[in-house]
Amino acid sequence: DGGITQSPKYLFRKEGQNVTLSCEQNLNHDAMYWYRQDPGQGLRLIYYSQIVNDFQKGDIAEGYSVSREKKESFPLTVTSAQKNPTAFYLCASNEGSSTDTQYFGPGTRLTVL
Amino acid sequence: GIQVEQSPPDLILQEGANSTLRCNFSDSVNNLQWFHQNPWGQLINLFYIPSGTKQNGRLSATTVATERYSLLYISSSQTTDSGVYFCAVGGGGFKTIFGAGTRLFVKA
């Protein structure tokens, strides 16, 4: 089954800790994306990667970091510098053109205690 | 940047009713997608429709790019249609801009 997996489904973090959210895809897509969704809101772009070893900041990149060492993996680290990290995080991928449909993973719900 | 506005923000329907959701965007776009987010948070692609009309079962969508709007039609609504419907557009590059969504609740 081709698709996008995210783990963990739920994550609890103490203030001051860094946490890493996993995103893996077996769709052979070149481009991958991370979005943040706050309650009752739409999705906002954090980072995106068009190709291995390259990534670009989105609209709300402050306090987050990413890596793209493998085509199928695009982990997101939420650092202690992110002031309000409690949110729902969604990973997506597509074939790499801006005109391609994006496919989404099931999401990770992060709560800061 | 491009602004995306969706209406109505909330919608309550009786099962079997029809509805129309609207997405307005402020500039030319090179792609437009409609998504359904289920109560568990999963986003499902409904349509990729930068222009024209498409139909898939009880759902159909129309985008009039020259007038900068898209419509999503839901006919004979079912309780499983409940959730949030998002319109998302791309204006160039790799950024996709999402609207705030229409929250739909279908009553049995």
Side-chain angles (χ1 to χ4, degrees):
Chain A
D1 257 334
I4 303 175
T5 58
Q6 292 187 240
S7 62
K9 189 171 183 178
Y10 299 95
L11 185 57
F12 298 91
R13 189 194 94 171
K14 293 182 180 179
E15 284 193 22
Q17 287 182 335
N18 293 352
V19 290
T20 298
L21 283 57
S22 169
C23 177
E24 304 276 333
Q25 54 98 1
N26 62 3
L27 300 168
N28 200 34
H29 285 166
D30 285 319
M32 297 185 75
Y33 309 79
W34 274 106
Y35 293 91
R36 170 181 171 139
Q37 186 179 26
D38 293 288
Q41 305 289 320
L43 280 66
R44 293 183 291 168
L45 183 64
I46 305 172
Y47 268 97
Y48 63 99
S49 169
Q50 300 170 31
I51 199 167
V52 174
N53 293 321
D54 183 62
F55 49 82
Q56 308 294 329
K57 291 182 179 180
D59 299 318
I60 56 165
E62 185 175 350
Y64 300 98
S65 66
V66 293
S67 63
R68 187 86 188 276
E69 297 176 2
K70 298 186 294 183
K71 186 176 185 178
E72 59 269 24
S73 179
F74 191 40
L76 173 74
T77 297
V78 184
T79 75
S80 56
Q82 169 50 235
K83 299 304 179 190
N84 186 18
T86 295
F88 188 49
Y89 291 87
L90 288 152
C91 178
S93 71
N94 68 3
E95 292 183 355
S97 164
S98 61
T99 59
D100 288 332
T101 300
Q102 291 189 16
Y103 297 90
F104 281 83
T108 292
R109 204 166 294 275
L110 173 63
T111 302
V112 174
L113 303 173
Chain B
I2 297 175
Q3 305 296 313
V4 180
E5 293 185 356
Q6 292 187 242
S7 59
D10 298 282
L11 186 58
I12 299 174
L13 297 176
Q14 192 66 44
E15 195 170 28
N18 302 329
S19 63
T20 301
L21 282 57
R22 188 176 179 102
C23 172
N24 291 334
F25 43 96
S26 61
D27 205 343
S28 300
V29 297
N30 60 7
N31 76 67
L32 188 145
Q33 300 172 70
W34 282 98
F35 294 91
H36 175 225
Q37 187 171 39
N38 66 24
W40 297 271
Q42 178 75 57
L43 270 92
I44 305 297
N45 296 285
L46 298 176
F47 295 102
Y48 172 78
I49 186 167
S51 63
T53 297
K54 290 186 177 180
Q55 180 156 6
N56 185 2
R58 295 181 297 104
L59 302 180
S60 64
T62 295
T63 297
V64 184
T66 54
E67 297 187 21
R68 298 180 185 167
Y69 72 89
S70 183
L71 302 174
L72 177 69
Y73 305 97
I74 304 174
S75 64
S76 304
S77 59
Q78 300 176 358
T79 56
T80 52
D81 294 332
S82 296
V84 185
Y85 290 81
F86 288 106
C87 170
V89 305
F94 282 79
K95 291 188 179 182
T96 298
I97 298 126
F98 282 75
T102 291
R103 285 149 194 80
L104 173 64
F105 179 67
V106 181
K107 299 188 294 183

